[in-house]
Amino acid sequence: MALRTRAVPENAPGDLFVDDRCISCDTCRRLAPATFGGGEDDRAFVASQPSDGEARRRALLALVSCPVAAIGSTSGAGVREASRALPVPLAEDAPDILDCGYAAESSFGAASWLVLRRGGNVLVDSPRFTAPLLARLRALGGARFLFLSHRDDVADHARWAEALGCARVLHARDVTAGTRGVELRLEGDAPTALANDLLAIPVPGHTAGSTALLVGERYLFTGDHLWGDAEGRLGASRSVCWWDWDSQTRSMERLAAHRFEWVIPGHGRPWRAQSIDAAQAAVRDLAAEMRER
Ligand code: SF4
C-alpha cells in the first residue's frame, strides 16, 4: 500500500499521490497520461489531479496496476471498482486488443495484453496473477495461448496457465529453469504459424529467444524488441539490448517485410501507423538507424 508519508514532493496536492517506491516502469503514464507525469524512464508523480470521472477512472486503473503499489488514494473512492474493470480496450478502433494492467514487479512492470479472437483468445506476456483479473479473463472466454515474448516478461506464467488451461509459447533459446514446463517451444529463426491469423516471428537480439507475435495483418506484439514512445516515434535501444545488437538489427530488417499497422510492446507505448506501407517504412528507417549506432 502506498504511504502518504513517503509521497514524492512533485505530486500535485489532492487525493492521489505517488510514493518514493516507484520503479519508473511507466505503467501509470501509459494508462493515465493525463494524471501521471515524468519522463518515460523517470520516477512518476501526480502531475495533475483528475478533473473528471473518466480521468479518475483511468488513474485508478493505474493505481491497481502499479507493480509496487506506489500509487495511493487518501479517500480510496472507486478503487474497488477499478480493480474489477481490467482489462480495458487499447483504443476505440482496436476493441479486440485489451490492456490487462496489473503489472508485475518481476517483469519490471511490463505490459500484458489480451487478444480477443474467435479461435481462442491469446494472452500476450504475463500480468500479475490476481483474482479480479482472472474472473474477468474467464468472463471474456479465457485464453488458448499465453504467448511469452521473451524470458524477462514471464511473471506469473505458471499460475495463469494452470488457472486458464492455456498453452504457453516461448522460444527454446529463452527457456530457463522457471519456464521449462512451457507447453510449446519455438525453434530456429523461421516464423511459426500458431493459427491462420497468428504468426510467431523470432526477433533475436534483445534476448536470444525474443519473438514477436503478428495477429492478422494488423497487430504486432513486440515484447522489448521494438516499441513506441510518448512522442509517437518507434524505438529500440542498445542500452537495453541484453544479448546481441547486430542480431537485433538484422531481426528489425527482417521484421519490416511483415504486414502490420500497430506495434504493441512490453515496455514503451503502443504505436500506430497510418497504413501497412507506412509501418514497414518506419521499421526499415529504424533498422537503418540501428546500423549506424
Ligand atoms: S506504475 Fe508505479 S512503479 Fe510504475 S511508474 Fe507508475 S508509480 Fe512508478
Side-chain angles (χ1 to χ4, degrees):
M1 195 174 81
L3 298 173
R4 179 63 88 171
T5 52
R6 294 178 61 167
V8 299
E10 298 92 341
N11 289 314
D15 183 62
L16 294 175
F17 61 94
V18 176
D19 78 16
D20 62 4
R21 290 172 300 174
C22 167
I23 59 169
S24 312
C25 73
D26 203 41
T27 296
C28 56
R29 289 179 288 249
R30 184 186 83 245
L31 282 165
T35 297
F36 296 96
E40 287 164 76
D41 298 324
D42 299 336
R43 187 170 73 179
F45 57 92
V46 174
S48 171
Q49 294 288 338
S51 56
D52 58 29
E54 176 57 14
R56 170 113 185 149
R57 188 184 76 84
R58 296 293 307 189
L60 294 181
L61 295 177
L63 183 154
V64 299
S65 295
C66 175
V68 291
I71 304 172
S73 162
T74 304
S75 71
V79 172
R80 183 184 296 264
E81 291 78 5
S83 72
R84 296 171 178 159
L86 289 153
V88 293
L90 165 62
E92 274 184 18
D93 60 347
D96 47 346
I97 306 298
L98 306 184
D99 187 331
C100 292
Y102 283 112
E105 186 176 10
S106 58
S107 294
F108 196 70
S112 64
W113 308 93
L114 184 72
V115 181
L116 300 175
R117 55 188 286 282
R118 283 209 184 92
N121 299 337
V122 182
L123 190 55
V124 180
D125 288 324
S126 174
R128 185 177 359 129
F129 189 85
T130 67
L133 184 58
L134 174 60
R136 286 274 289 138
L137 295 189
R138 281 181 168 150
L140 289 163
R144 177 177 170 197
F145 293 116
L146 168 49
F147 182 87
L148 300 167
S149 64
H150 66 298
R151 62 192 298 162
D152 300 333
D153 293 351
V154 300
D156 297 327
H157 66 97
R159 297 184 72 186
W160 285 113
E162 184 181 2
L164 296 173
C166 54
R168 290 164 288 175
V169 182
L170 178 63
H171 199 286
R173 289 193 293 251
D174 267 18
V175 170
T176 65
T179 48
R180 64 182 164 221
V182 298
E183 288 74 20
L184 179 51
R185 293 186 189 203
L186 303 169
E187 304 277 353
D189 288 339
T192 299
L194 302 173
N196 286 343
D197 60 337
L198 298 176
L199 188 67
I201 306 169
V203 286
H206 172 72
T207 62
S210 286
T211 309
L213 179 68
L214 181 62
V215 180
E217 290 194 347
R218 190 159 161 81
Y219 304 114
L220 182 69
F221 294 89
T222 52
D224 291 350
H225 172 70
L226 168 68
W227 56 80
D229 68 15
E231 276 74 50
R233 298 170 301 210
L234 274 185
S237 173
R238 196 167 192 147
S239 66
V240 290
C241 176
W242 310 138
W243 186 62
D244 184 74
W245 183 247
D246 284 343
S247 295
Q248 189 167 346
T249 302
R250 286 195 296 276
S251 294
M252 202 68 79
E253 290 165 347
R254 288 196 299 272
L255 200 54
H258 292 278
R259 296 172 62 77
F260 57 90
E261 292 177 8
W262 283 87
V263 168
I264 306 175
H267 289 106
R269 307 289 174 89
W271 176 92
R272 189 188 183 180
Q274 293 299 315
S275 66
I276 291 171
D277 287 347
Q280 291 175 320
V283 173
R284 272 197 306 273
D285 288 349
L286 177 61
E289 269 178 48
M290 291 167 72
R291 278 262 165 244
E292 303 300 317
R293 289 184 209 161

